[in-house]
PDB file of all heavy atoms in Angstrom:
ATOM      1  N   ALA A1302     -31.536 -44.407 -50.985  1.00  0.00           N
ATOM      2  CA  ALA A1302     -33.024 -44.742 -51.017  1.00  0.00           C
ATOM      3  C   ALA A1302     -33.521 -44.537 -49.486  1.00  0.00           C
ATOM      4  O   ALA A1302     -34.652 -44.049 -49.331  1.00  0.00           O
ATOM      5  CB  ALA A1302     -33.266 -46.117 -51.430  1.00  0.00           C
ATOM      6  N   ARG A1303     -32.770 -44.929 -48.504  1.00  0.00           N
ATOM      7  CA  ARG A1303     -33.131 -44.924 -47.188  1.00  0.00           C
ATOM      8  C   ARG A1303     -33.254 -43.443 -46.753  1.00  0.00           C
ATOM      9  O   ARG A1303     -34.280 -43.083 -46.187  1.00  0.00           O
ATOM     10  CB  ARG A1303     -32.248 -45.646 -46.318  1.00  0.00           C
ATOM     11  CG  ARG A1303     -32.614 -45.631 -44.781  1.00  0.00           C
ATOM     12  CD  ARG A1303     -31.644 -46.467 -43.988  1.00  0.00           C
ATOM     13  NE  ARG A1303     -31.783 -46.102 -42.557  1.00  0.00           N
ATOM     14  CZ  ARG A1303     -30.916 -45.422 -41.794  1.00  0.00           C
ATOM     15  NH1 ARG A1303     -29.865 -44.996 -42.414  1.00  0.00           N
ATOM     16  NH2 ARG A1303     -31.184 -45.091 -40.608  1.00  0.00           N
ATOM     17  N   GLU A1304     -32.390 -42.628 -47.112  1.00  0.00           N
ATOM     18  CA  GLU A1304     -32.319 -41.214 -46.788  1.00  0.00           C
ATOM     19  C   GLU A1304     -33.418 -40.486 -47.471  1.00  0.00           C
ATOM     20  O   GLU A1304     -34.211 -39.637 -46.970  1.00  0.00           O
ATOM     21  CB  GLU A1304     -31.141 -40.504 -47.202  1.00  0.00           C
ATOM     22  CG  GLU A1304     -29.885 -41.018 -46.322  1.00  0.00           C
ATOM     23  CD  GLU A1304     -28.591 -40.374 -46.726  1.00  0.00           C
ATOM     24  OE1 GLU A1304     -28.498 -39.589 -47.553  1.00  0.00           O
ATOM     25  OE2 GLU A1304     -27.518 -40.699 -46.073  1.00  0.00           O
ATOM     26  N   ARG A1305     -33.782 -40.914 -48.841  1.00  0.00           N
ATOM     27  CA  ARG A1305     -34.912 -40.291 -49.418  1.00  0.00           C
ATOM     28  C   ARG A1305     -36.211 -40.584 -48.830  1.00  0.00           C
ATOM     29  O   ARG A1305     -37.055 -39.776 -48.645  1.00  0.00           O
ATOM     30  CB  ARG A1305     -34.788 -40.798 -50.955  1.00  0.00           C
ATOM     31  CG  ARG A1305     -35.764 -39.866 -51.904  1.00  0.00           C
ATOM     32  CD  ARG A1305     -35.455 -40.400 -53.297  1.00  0.00           C
ATOM     33  NE  ARG A1305     -34.181 -39.870 -53.817  1.00  0.00           N
ATOM     34  CZ  ARG A1305     -33.549 -40.290 -54.815  1.00  0.00           C
ATOM     35  NH1 ARG A1305     -33.828 -41.349 -55.329  1.00  0.00           N
ATOM     36  NH2 ARG A1305     -32.338 -39.770 -55.185  1.00  0.00           N
ATOM     37  N   LYS A1306     -36.293 -41.771 -48.402  1.00  0.00           N
ATOM     38  CA  LYS A1306     -37.631 -42.300 -47.739  1.00  0.00           C
ATOM     39  C   LYS A1306     -37.666 -41.532 -46.361  1.00  0.00           C
ATOM     40  O   LYS A1306     -38.852 -41.166 -46.128  1.00  0.00           O
ATOM     41  CB  LYS A1306     -37.519 -43.757 -47.431  1.00  0.00           C
ATOM     42  CG  LYS A1306     -38.630 -44.454 -46.975  1.00  0.00           C
ATOM     43  CD  LYS A1306     -38.580 -45.943 -46.878  1.00  0.00           C
ATOM     44  CE  LYS A1306     -39.866 -46.645 -46.665  1.00  0.00           C
ATOM     45  NZ  LYS A1306     -39.621 -48.098 -46.572  1.00  0.00           N
ATOM     46  N   GLN A1307     -36.677 -41.398 -45.568  1.00  0.00           N
ATOM     47  CA  GLN A1307     -36.653 -40.500 -44.398  1.00  0.00           C
ATOM     48  C   GLN A1307     -37.033 -39.098 -44.693  1.00  0.00           C
ATOM     49  O   GLN A1307     -37.925 -38.548 -43.908  1.00  0.00           O
ATOM     50  CB  GLN A1307     -35.378 -40.482 -43.728  1.00  0.00           C
ATOM     51  CG  GLN A1307     -35.078 -41.962 -43.073  1.00  0.00           C
ATOM     52  CD  GLN A1307     -33.558 -42.000 -42.461  1.00  0.00           C
ATOM     53  OE1 GLN A1307     -32.778 -41.212 -42.930  1.00  0.00           O
ATOM     54  NE2 GLN A1307     -33.391 -42.837 -41.595  1.00  0.00           N
ATOM     55  N   ALA A1308     -36.594 -38.497 -45.757  1.00  0.00           N
ATOM     56  CA  ALA A1308     -36.881 -37.080 -46.050  1.00  0.00           C
ATOM     57  C   ALA A1308     -38.407 -36.971 -46.451  1.00  0.00           C
ATOM     58  O   ALA A1308     -39.085 -35.884 -45.896  1.00  0.00           O
ATOM     59  CB  ALA A1308     -36.054 -36.664 -47.253  1.00  0.00           C
ATOM     60  N   VAL A1309     -38.880 -37.873 -47.207  1.00  0.00           N
ATOM     61  CA  VAL A1309     -40.277 -37.878 -47.517  1.00  0.00           C
ATOM     62  C   VAL A1309     -41.121 -38.018 -46.325  1.00  0.00           C
ATOM     63  O   VAL A1309     -42.065 -37.276 -46.191  1.00  0.00           O
ATOM     64  CB  VAL A1309     -40.636 -38.945 -48.528  1.00  0.00           C
ATOM     65  CG1 VAL A1309     -42.143 -39.178 -48.722  1.00  0.00           C
ATOM     66  CG2 VAL A1309     -39.938 -38.740 -49.855  1.00  0.00           C
ATOM     67  N   PHE A1310     -40.722 -38.816 -45.315  1.00  0.00           N
ATOM     68  CA  PHE A1310     -41.547 -39.002 -44.222  1.00  0.00           C
ATOM     69  C   PHE A1310     -41.508 -37.751 -43.256  1.00  0.00           C
ATOM     70  O   PHE A1310     -42.674 -37.284 -42.793  1.00  0.00           O
ATOM     71  CB  PHE A1310     -40.902 -40.111 -43.220  1.00  0.00           C
ATOM     72  CG  PHE A1310     -41.599 -40.268 -41.985  1.00  0.00           C
ATOM     73  CD1 PHE A1310     -42.772 -41.011 -41.807  1.00  0.00           C
ATOM     74  CD2 PHE A1310     -40.921 -39.782 -40.865  1.00  0.00           C
ATOM     75  CE1 PHE A1310     -43.438 -41.087 -40.545  1.00  0.00           C
ATOM     76  CE2 PHE A1310     -41.551 -39.986 -39.575  1.00  0.00           C
ATOM     77  CZ  PHE A1310     -42.765 -40.663 -39.493  1.00  0.00           C
ATOM     78  N   VAL A1311     -40.370 -37.089 -43.158  1.00  0.00           N
ATOM     79  CA  VAL A1311     -40.288 -35.836 -42.415  1.00  0.00           C
ATOM     80  C   VAL A1311     -41.212 -34.704 -43.021  1.00  0.00           C
ATOM     81  O   VAL A1311     -42.031 -34.052 -42.488  1.00  0.00           O
ATOM     82  CB  VAL A1311     -38.848 -35.277 -42.273  1.00  0.00           C
ATOM     83  CG1 VAL A1311     -38.795 -33.803 -41.895  1.00  0.00           C
ATOM     84  CG2 VAL A1311     -38.064 -36.179 -41.429  1.00  0.00           C
ATOM     85  N   LEU A1312     -41.150 -34.516 -44.339  1.00  0.00           N
ATOM     86  CA  LEU A1312     -41.857 -33.581 -45.101  1.00  0.00           C
ATOM     87  C   LEU A1312     -43.442 -33.838 -44.976  1.00  0.00           C
ATOM     88  O   LEU A1312     -44.371 -32.884 -44.826  1.00  0.00           O
ATOM     89  CB  LEU A1312     -41.418 -33.423 -46.533  1.00  0.00           C
ATOM     90  CG  LEU A1312     -40.110 -32.989 -46.741  1.00  0.00           C
ATOM     91  CD1 LEU A1312     -39.683 -33.006 -48.196  1.00  0.00           C
ATOM     92  CD2 LEU A1312     -39.836 -31.666 -46.123  1.00  0.00           C
ATOM     93  N   LYS A1313     -43.840 -35.106 -45.029  1.00  0.00           N
ATOM     94  CA  LYS A1313     -45.165 -35.483 -45.006  1.00  0.00           C
ATOM     95  C   LYS A1313     -45.800 -35.139 -43.494  1.00  0.00           C
ATOM     96  O   LYS A1313     -46.850 -34.661 -43.340  1.00  0.00           O
ATOM     97  CB  LYS A1313     -45.484 -36.956 -45.259  1.00  0.00           C
ATOM     98  CG  LYS A1313     -45.550 -37.263 -46.822  1.00  0.00           C
ATOM     99  CD  LYS A1313     -45.807 -38.682 -47.016  1.00  0.00           C
ATOM    100  CE  LYS A1313     -46.004 -38.956 -48.506  1.00  0.00           C
ATOM    101  NZ  LYS A1313     -46.221 -40.396 -48.780  1.00  0.00           N
ATOM    102  N   GLU A1314     -44.964 -35.451 -42.572  1.00  0.00           N
ATOM    103  CA  GLU A1314     -45.302 -35.119 -41.169  1.00  0.00           C
ATOM    104  C   GLU A1314     -45.401 -33.784 -40.950  1.00  0.00           C
ATOM    105  O   GLU A1314     -46.389 -33.335 -40.298  1.00  0.00           O
ATOM    106  CB  GLU A1314     -44.287 -35.891 -40.136  1.00  0.00           C
ATOM    107  CG  GLU A1314     -44.488 -37.337 -40.260  1.00  0.00           C
ATOM    108  CD  GLU A1314     -45.787 -37.895 -39.885  1.00  0.00           C
ATOM    109  OE1 GLU A1314     -46.367 -37.536 -38.844  1.00  0.00           O
ATOM    110  OE2 GLU A1314     -46.309 -38.881 -40.511  1.00  0.00           O
ATOM    111  N   LEU A1315     -44.413 -32.916 -41.396  1.00  0.00           N
ATOM    112  CA  LEU A1315     -44.576 -31.482 -41.197  1.00  0.00           C
ATOM    113  C   LEU A1315     -45.786 -30.864 -41.972  1.00  0.00           C
ATOM    114  O   LEU A1315     -46.382 -29.990 -41.360  1.00  0.00           O
ATOM    115  CB  LEU A1315     -43.340 -30.903 -41.688  1.00  0.00           C
ATOM    116  CG  LEU A1315     -42.075 -31.123 -40.777  1.00  0.00           C
ATOM    117  CD1 LEU A1315     -40.726 -30.551 -41.489  1.00  0.00           C
ATOM    118  CD2 LEU A1315     -42.160 -30.533 -39.339  1.00  0.00           C
ATOM    119  N   TYR A1316     -46.111 -31.443 -43.152  1.00  0.00           N
ATOM    120  CA  TYR A1316     -47.195 -30.992 -43.858  1.00  0.00           C
ATOM    121  C   TYR A1316     -48.416 -31.224 -42.959  1.00  0.00           C
ATOM    122  O   TYR A1316     -49.304 -30.331 -42.842  1.00  0.00           O
ATOM    123  CB  TYR A1316     -47.285 -31.588 -45.190  1.00  0.00           C
ATOM    124  CG  TYR A1316     -48.556 -31.342 -45.998  1.00  0.00           C
ATOM    125  CD1 TYR A1316     -48.741 -30.190 -46.660  1.00  0.00           C
ATOM    126  CD2 TYR A1316     -49.673 -32.297 -45.962  1.00  0.00           C
ATOM    127  CE1 TYR A1316     -49.977 -29.940 -47.322  1.00  0.00           C
ATOM    128  CE2 TYR A1316     -50.732 -32.092 -46.619  1.00  0.00           C
ATOM    129  CZ  TYR A1316     -50.903 -30.803 -47.193  1.00  0.00           C
ATOM    130  OH  TYR A1316     -52.139 -30.624 -47.844  1.00  0.00           O
ATOM    131  N   GLY A1317     -48.644 -32.402 -42.587  1.00  0.00           N
ATOM    132  CA  GLY A1317     -49.798 -32.816 -41.827  1.00  0.00           C
ATOM    133  C   GLY A1317     -49.933 -31.923 -40.501  1.00  0.00           C
ATOM    134  O   GLY A1317     -51.110 -31.491 -40.087  1.00  0.00           O
TER     135      GLY A1317
END
Side-chain angles (χ1 to χ4, degrees):
R1303 181 174 165 255
E1304 289 176 1
R1305 198 171 283 156
K1306 193 173 184 178
Q1307 289 173 333
V1309 168
F1310 177 78
V1311 166
L1312 295 176
K1313 281 183 177 181
E1314 292 298 311
L1315 288 172
Y1316 171 80

